[in-house]
Amino acid sequence: MLSQDVSDLEGRDYYIDTHAHLDMIKEKTPQEAVQEAERERVRIILNIGAHLEASHQAVEMAQSFPNVFATMGVHPHDARFLTRKAVEEMRKLCKSPKVVAVGETGLDYFRNLSTPEEQRQAFIWQIELARELELPLVVHDRDAHKDIKGILKSEEVKRGVLHCFSADEAMIDFCLEQGLHISITGNITFKNAQRLRGMVKKIPLDILMLETDCPFLAPHPFRGQENYPKYIPLIARAVAEAKGVSEDEVMRQTTENAFQLFGFTA
Ligand SMILES: [Zn+2]
C-alpha cells in the first residue's frame, strides 16, 4: 500500500515521466526539475535506481516529493558489483513506501562495462526479486535483443517495460506476446530517427509509455543538453505524429498504461 494521496490525479489529464534519473541531474536541483515538470503537466515522475546508492537516493527523493515514485535496480553496467548480499539489501529497500518496480536491469552488450556473464546473473537475480515481491520489471536492452528475449521468455516475465525502445518489429511482437510495455524516449524526436518513428507507428498505444531517461537523451531541439522531465510533452508530440493520433490521446493513454503497470494508486 502506498501512503500517497493520489486522489487529485484521477482523470489522467497529465503526463507521467516513467524513467528519470533525478539524482544525475547537475544543472538544476531535483526540486527545480520536479516543479518545472509540474508546470508542463508532467505530474508523476518515476525515479529509476541504477545502482544501490542511487536506489537509496531514489527512495529518499520519493519520500520528499509527493508525486515522485522510485524503482530499485542495478544497471547492467554495474552488474559486476551485484552480490547476493547486495540483493538482500535491495529486497529490504523494495519494501519502502513508493517503490513500484525492480530495475533498471537488463543487458548492455554495446558498452560491456560488466561482462555478459555478470550482466545475465544480475538480470536473473533481479527478475527473481521482482517475481517474489510481485513488482514489475524495468528492462534495459542495448544490442542484446536475442538474450533479452531468451531470458524474459524462459523466466516467464509478464509484467514489465522495455525502456528506451530501440529494437525491431520482432521485439514489438515479443512484447505483445509476453504482455510487456514499451517506453519511448526523446530519441524519437531526432531528425535521423525515421526508422524509430516507423516502429512506434506499429506499437499499439495501449502498451506505450513515455520517458525522458533524463539527464540523458534530451529531445530535439535540446539534443546534447541536459534533459529534464519537463520535456515529456515533446516526446508525446512526436509519438502522436508518428501514430496519427492527438497529443491528448497519447497523454491520457500512456498515463493510464503507467498506472496499470506501476499501480501508483495501490
Ligand atoms: Zn535509465
Side-chain angles (χ1 to χ4, degrees):
M1 286 292 157
L2 300 169
S3 56
Q4 178 168 25
D5 176 17
V6 286
S7 55
D8 63 328
L9 293 172
E10 281 167 14
R12 310 297 189 244
D13 234 3
Y14 52 87
Y15 294 103
I16 297 178
D17 184 352
T18 61
H19 194 116
H21 299 281
L22 292 174
D23 57 298
M24 295 188 201
I25 290 176
K26 292 196 176 75
E27 292 165 23
K28 293 181 194 298
T29 63
Q31 188 167 8
E32 284 167 331
V34 171
Q35 282 168 350
E36 289 176 5
E38 171 79 27
R39 270 178 241 138
E40 302 298 325
R41 293 166 88 187
V42 182
R43 298 190 56 193
I44 294 182
I45 298 169
L46 186 47
N47 196 28
I48 302 288
H51 51 84
L52 267 183
E53 201 195 320
S55 294
H56 275 286
Q57 285 172 357
V59 168
E60 280 166 26
M61 250 183 248
Q63 278 155 6
S64 13
F65 300 105
N67 291 359
V68 173
F69 291 77
T71 72
M72 217 43 43
V74 173
H75 192 281
H77 292 340
D78 284 332
R80 63 188 185 281
F81 302 118
L82 190 64
T83 57
R84 278 200 183 276
K85 198 165 159 256
V87 175
E88 284 313 308
E89 201 183 329
M90 280 179 73
R91 176 179 287 110
K92 279 188 213 131
L93 270 177
C94 279
K95 293 178 179 158
S96 315
K98 298 179 79 181
V99 173
V100 296
V102 173
E104 59 182 303
T105 175
L107 305 171
D108 191 316
Y109 293 168
F110 179 72
R111 295 187 65 192
N112 274 324
L113 295 183
S114 293
T115 67
E117 200 67 356
E118 289 163 334
Q119 293 185 42
R120 285 191 288 267
Q121 179 61 74
F123 189 24
I124 287 172
W125 278 341
Q126 290 176 80
I127 289 172
E128 288 169 353
L129 191 60
R131 185 186 300 128
E132 177 199 322
L133 300 173
E134 297 182 5
L135 289 171
L137 199 68
V138 178
V139 181
H140 172 103
D141 163 26
R142 189 153 184 208
D143 290 355
H145 306 334
K146 187 167 164 278
D147 283 4
I148 285 281
K149 281 192 272 194
I151 292 173
L152 291 176
K153 198 172 170 77
S154 63
E155 295 290 325
E156 297 180 29
V157 176
K158 308 244 180 250
R159 249 184 102 211
V161 55
L162 196 65
H163 111 92
C164 192
F165 184 76
S166 63
D168 48 18
E169 253 184 290
M171 188 59 101
I172 299 173
D173 290 342
F174 175 78
C175 288
L176 284 167
E177 275 163 34
Q178 292 287 116
L180 299 171
H181 287 67
I182 291 175
S183 67
I184 306 296
T185 61
N187 58 3
I188 190 182
T189 67
F190 295 169
K191 288 203 172 75
N192 58 357
Q194 292 90 341
R195 185 183 160 277
L196 178 58
R197 285 188 284 271
M199 284 299 141
V200 168
K201 194 175 173 177
K202 294 178 177 147
I203 306 172
L205 193 52
D206 62 2
I207 66 163
L208 270 183
M209 299 190 301
L210 308 175
E211 59 161 304
T212 57
D213 203 11
C214 70
F216 315 107
L217 287 172
H220 175 78
F222 304 104
R223 189 173 183 178
Q225 300 173 26
E226 190 164 77
N227 192 12
Y228 307 108
K230 68 175 174 182
Y231 295 146
I232 280 284
L234 297 172
I235 302 167
R237 186 179 309 158
V239 169
E241 278 167 14
K243 299 193 69 61
V245 298
S246 70
E247 284 168 50
D248 267 12
E249 191 177 348
V250 170
M251 173 179 69
R252 274 192 286 271
Q253 187 63 53
T254 55
T255 291
E256 181 59 31
N257 299 341
F259 262 88
Q260 280 175 17
L261 183 63
F262 298 114
F264 299 116
T265 51

